[in-house]
Amino acid sequence: MNYDILTLLEAVRDGKVSAEDALLKLKQQPFEDLGFAKVDLHRKTRQGAAEVIYGAGKTPDQIIQIVRTLQQAGQDTILITRMDEQKAAAVQKEIQIDYHKGAHIGIAGKLPAPDGLGTIVVATGGTSDIPVAEEAALTAEALGNKVERLYDVGVAGLHRLLSHMDQVMNASVIIAIAGMEGALASVIGGLADCPVIAVPTSVGYGSAFEGLSALLSMLNSCASGVSVVNIDNGFGAGFLASRINHMRAKPEKK
């Protein structure tokens, strides 16, 4: 695979292939077929972020094989989501990963230096929302973002959020995470001048319907500029926030 890329780059150098055609070719490079998984080795080339391993439903051995395949392809930081403590312990016997119990996230390799446009702020309504928030924050950090955490700043004590207005107003993206009635996203959406990603959590009493109440509240937010991901989807929010924080103007084709 590396030989093919070298040949392609030499063709660009010699004027046999245009830079645009070479980029298209790189984006269409193959995957590694492990039988149980087809590991996408060129997702970072196409999308700017490498494949993330969804740990739930995979055996420790499958996770280990996928991690090693990505490492052999040159991936420095590998994110493993939704991995329980028992599975993480089995994986750690074979490969080095940092496991974050509360977020159910494992990270192989070092976190990259932040190279985003600004800071991603992760805010929660309550302490019970922190596991989802940590999934979002760690995902964003693994993708090369500076992250600030504002935990337990929900609307039941609005002064707690207002005491952090500097962070709110200086953020490039804000992830607002809340259960119960999910009001935090609307409040932050009415204060901030940046995109707000709302994450409903399954925290709440009976009529919260395991996050459905917060989801519907966030979908019906009267604040402009608020988008919503699925219930407890901290990973999705962290990934989207990173995309936004790395956006740059693309040159026009001539």
Side-chain angles (χ1 to χ4, degrees), residues 8 11 27 45 76-78 102 105 121 134-135 137 146 186 192 210 213 237 244:
L8 181 63
K27 288 182 177 182
T45 301
D76 295 325
T77 306
I78 300 166
I105 274 185
V121 169
E134 278 301 299
E135 184 180 59
K146 179 182 177 183
S186 288
E210 299 182 338
S213 178
I244 295 171

Side-chain angles (χ1 to χ4, degrees), residues 20 250-254:
E20 292 78 9
K250 295 182 179 180
E252 294 185 2
K253 289 185 178 181
K254 296 181 179 180

Side-chain angles (χ1 to χ4, degrees), residues 21-42:
D21 288 342
L23 179 60
L24 179 61
K25 183 70 174 178
L26 288 172
K27 288 182 177 182
Q28 295 173 338
Q29 283 291 329
F31 50 82
E32 184 76 19
D33 193 346
L34 301 181
F36 62 88
K38 294 176 176 61
V39 184
D40 188 351
L41 301 179
H42 280 262

Side-chain angles (χ1 to χ4, degrees), residues 4-243:
D4 291 339
I5 294 174
L6 178 60
T7 301
L8 181 63
L9 292 176
E10 288 174 343
V12 174
R13 180 197 62 195
D14 297 338
K16 298 177 180 178
V17 177
S18 70
E20 292 78 9
D21 288 342
L23 179 60
L24 179 61
K25 183 70 174 178
L26 288 172
K27 288 182 177 182
Q28 295 173 338
Q29 283 291 329
F31 50 82
E32 184 76 19
D33 193 346
L34 301 181
F36 62 88
K38 294 176 176 61
V39 184
D40 188 351
L41 301 179
H42 280 262
R43 189 172 301 182
K44 188 171 184 178
T45 301
R46 296 195 316 275
Q47 297 187 320
E51 182 170 5
V52 174
I53 302 171
Y54 181 68
K58 292 183 177 67
T59 67
D61 184 61
Q62 288 173 335
I63 293 172
I64 290 166
Q65 289 188 58
I66 295 171
V67 169
R68 285 175 173 165
T69 299
L70 290 170
Q71 287 175 332
Q72 290 168 3
Q75 182 58 35
D76 295 325
T77 306
I78 300 166
L79 188 65
I80 310 161
T81 67
R82 300 299 167 101
M83 182 168 58
D84 61 44
E85 191 173 7
Q86 182 178 5
K87 194 175 295 183
V91 171
Q92 286 176 319
K93 292 179 181 179
E94 299 294 331
I95 57 176
Q96 176 63 43
I97 64 168
D98 292 324
Y99 182 63
H100 301 263
K101 180 180 177 181
H104 293 159
I105 274 185
I107 300 174
K110 295 182 179 180
L111 290 176
D115 59 358
L117 298 175
T119 300
I120 296 173
V121 169
V122 179
T124 73
T127 304
S128 298
D129 302 310
I130 289 178
V132 177
E134 278 301 299
E135 184 180 59
L138 289 165
T139 296
E141 287 175 337
L143 295 173
N145 298 276
K146 179 182 177 183
V147 176
E148 290 185 0
R149 294 160 168 83
L150 299 180
Y151 291 169
D152 197 24
V153 293
V155 299
L158 192 57
H159 56 289
R160 299 174 298 178
L161 175 63
L162 297 178
S163 69
H164 293 284
M165 284 303 296
D166 283 349
Q167 289 99 314
V168 170
M169 298 308 295
N170 289 322
S172 292
V173 190
I174 299 175
I175 302 174
I177 303 170
M180 301 209 177
E181 86 283 24
L184 181 65
S186 288
V187 172
I188 290 179
L191 295 171
D193 64 353
C194 64
V196 176
I197 303 170
V199 186
T201 72
S202 51
V203 172
Y205 298 103
S207 61
F209 298 110
E210 299 182 338
L212 181 59
S213 178
L215 173 64
L216 294 176
S217 293
M218 291 172 171
L219 287 171
N220 286 285
S221 174
C222 63
S224 303
V226 176
S227 62
V228 188
V229 298
N230 212 342
I231 298 168
D232 292 336
N233 189 9
F235 163 75
F239 196 98
L240 177 58
S242 177
R243 279 280 179 87

